[in-house]
Amino acid sequence: MKEIYFIGLLSFLLVGCETTALHHDGKPVQVTWNDTQHMSECEPKGTIVASQGTWYNYWLLNDGDLTEAVLNNLRNKAGQLGANTIHLYAPQTFGTSVTMTANSYLCPKA
């Protein structure tokens, strides 16, 4: 009987290990951090928020994987809005997850 509980618990934890993959829409989206002057030439498409990690699975994933998943999620959302650039705000710090906010833009090609 203990084996069934262990298998159920393990299945529950593994479901939470999923990270966000970069989709077709998000691949061409560029990520910027401090390039506010360049953003003046761009058309705003909206603010986007992404988060990865939960109280029950954060210890199974390293910070790099969580951060990469958040960036993939932001790029996917920006691509769906028709944007080709995101400008990141400073990450919000949480003990169990990574959360980032960005503005998305459609910028002229360089």
Side-chain angles (χ1 to χ4, degrees), residues 55-70:
W55 63 270
Y56 60 85
N57 76 349
Y58 73 95
W59 55 276
L60 296 171
L61 301 168
N62 68 47
D63 288 342
D65 290 340
L66 290 173
T67 302
E68 183 177 357
V70 168

Side-chain angles (χ1 to χ4, degrees), residues 31-75:
V31 178
T32 65
W33 184 267
N34 287 325
D35 193 8
T36 53
Q37 184 176 9
H38 175 70
M39 295 298 112
S40 66
E41 303 168 9
C42 304
E43 175 188 346
K45 290 293 190 175
T47 302
I48 48 179
V49 178
S51 186
Q52 287 287 318
T54 60
W55 63 270
Y56 60 85
N57 76 349
Y58 73 95
W59 55 276
L60 296 171
L61 301 168
N62 68 47
D63 288 342
D65 290 340
L66 290 173
T67 302
E68 183 177 357
V70 168
L71 288 172
N72 287 346
N73 197 341
L74 288 172
R75 290 173 67 192

